[in-house]
C-alpha cells in the first residue's frame, strides 16, 4: 500500500477500490491535496479518522469510516457514476483476485460464493483512467498473476500497473515487464510465484516506499 501511494500526485482525482487501496490516504504526505472519490457520493475524503472522532454516517463505498476535509463534498451516487463514466478520474487503484499478463482484471466474484454486487469496478476500469492494481502476489500459495484469468472478468486489457509486496509489473503491449523489486527479493523468486512469463530489463530498480 505504501508503494501504491506513490502513484498519486498533487491535485489528482482518484478512486480507491475496496480493501487495500482504501488505506492509501494514510500514507500520503499531510500537505498533499488529493481528491479521493467514492462511488457512494463522496469527493475529497481524508485518512482514517482518529479514535473517538469517527462519524458513522461518513463511510466510503466499502462501508469503512472516512474523514472529511475542508474541500470535501457530498452528492448522489448518480452524480458519482457520471464522474466515473465521464472519464473524470485520473487514476483508479483496485484490489484484484487475478490479473493476466495482458492486463485482464478479475476482482468482483468467485463463482459459488455469495457476493453483494459487482460494485463500481466495471465502470471504473471502463472510464478511461489509468488503472493500478495493488494486491498480494499469491493466494493460498497460488499465483494471482497469470497467463489468463480463470475467474469472471471485470474488464479486458484494462490494468496498467501491478504492485505487490514483492515487486512492480508494468503491463506493456508485449506482456508484463518487471520494473521494481522489493528489497531482498530476486528475479528467480518472482518467477517462482508468478503464473506467466515476463520481461526483465538489464537493471531493475529497488522498490521505493
Amino acid at each position: 500500500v505504501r508503494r501504491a501511494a506513490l502513484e498519486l500526485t498533487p491535485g489528482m482525482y482518484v478512486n480507491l477500490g475496496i480493501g487495500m487501496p482504501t488505506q492509501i490516504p494514510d500514507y500520503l504526505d499531510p500537505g498533499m491535496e488529493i481528491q479521493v472519490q467514492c462511488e457512494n457520493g463522496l469527493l475529497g475524503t481524508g485518512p482514517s479518522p482518529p479514535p473517538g472522532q469517527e462519524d458513522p454516517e461518513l463511510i466510503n463505498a466499502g462501508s469503512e469510516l472516512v474523514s472529511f476535509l475542508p474541500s470535501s463534498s457530498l452528492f448522489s451516487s448518480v452524480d458519482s457514476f457520471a464522474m466515473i463514466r465521464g472519464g473524470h478520474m485520473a487514476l483508479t487503484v483496485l484490489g484484484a483476485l487475478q490479473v493476466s499478463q495482458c492486463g485482464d482484471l478479475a476482482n468482483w466474484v468467485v463463482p459459488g460464493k455469495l457476493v453483494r454486487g459487482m460494485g463500481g469496478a466495471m465502470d471504473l476500469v471502463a472510464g478511461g483512467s489509468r488503472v493500478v492494481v495493488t494486491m498480494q502476489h499469491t493466494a493460498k500459495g497460488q499465483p494471482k498473476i497469470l497467463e489468463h484469468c480463470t475467474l469472471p472478468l471485470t474488464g479486458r486489457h484494462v490494468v496498467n500497473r501491478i504492485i505487490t509486496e514483492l515487486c512492480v509489473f508494468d503491463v506493456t503491449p508485449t506482456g508484463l515487464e518487471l520494473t521494481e523489486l522489493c528489497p531482498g527479493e530476486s528475479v528467480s523468486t518472482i518467477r517462482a510465484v508468478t503464473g506467466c512469463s515476463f520481461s526483465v530489463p538489464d537493471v531493475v530498480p529497488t522498490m521505493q516506499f
Side-chain angles (χ1 to χ4, degrees):
V1 176
R2 186 177 287 110
R3 170 59 184 83
L6 298 179
E7 298 291 312
L8 280 64
T9 57
M12 180 177 280
Y13 285 75
V14 57
N15 185 287
L16 305 177
I18 294 172
M20 293 173 63
T22 60
Q23 302 172 33
I24 287 177
D26 296 337
Y27 295 96
L28 297 176
D29 292 335
M32 183 182 290
E33 293 186 4
I34 298 292
Q35 297 296 326
V36 178
Q37 192 255 16
C38 301
E39 297 98 301
N40 57 323
L42 306 178
L43 184 65
T45 60
S48 302
Q53 298 184 28
E54 302 93 341
D55 184 337
E57 295 187 352
L58 294 180
I59 58 173
N60 60 25
S63 300
E64 297 171 320
L65 294 167
V66 296
S67 63
F68 252 31
L69 304 174
S71 59
S72 300
S73 58
L74 296 168
F75 38 85
S76 73
S77 60
V78 173
D79 293 323
S80 180
F81 276 89
M83 294 177 187
I84 294 169
R85 294 169 182 172
H88 300 291
M89 297 297 107
L91 176 69
T92 296
V93 185
L94 297 171
L97 299 169
Q98 295 176 342
V99 182
S100 79
Q101 61 186 352
C102 62
D104 294 343
L105 172 66
N107 80 337
W108 74 278
V109 67
V110 175
K113 291 193 175 182
L114 180 65
V115 60
R116 292 183 296 174
M118 65 185 67
M122 290 185 180
D123 292 274
L124 286 162
V125 299
S129 70
R130 175 175 169 81
V131 176
V132 173
V133 164
T134 179
M135 64 178 188
Q136 295 293 313
H137 207 98
T138 62
K140 298 180 179 179
Q142 298 300 311
K144 296 174 65 175
I145 303 172
L146 307 165
E147 288 188 12
H148 305 284
C149 294
T150 59
L151 296 174
L153 293 182
T154 306
R156 292 184 182 274
H157 307 289
V158 294
V159 177
N160 301 107
R161 174 167 285 179
I162 306 167
I163 301 172
T164 77
E165 77 280 16
L166 303 179
C167 66
V168 177
F169 286 117
D170 278 348
V171 182
T172 76
T174 57
L176 297 182
E177 179 179 352
L178 182 66
T179 57
E180 297 178 32
L181 272 174
C182 188
E185 302 297 339
S186 65
V187 174
S188 60
T189 300
I190 304 303
R191 290 196 189 281
V193 293
T194 303
C196 63
S197 61
F198 54 86
S199 63
V200 182
D202 293 337
V203 178
V204 181
T206 299
M207 187 186 296
Q208 302 299 309
F209 298 100

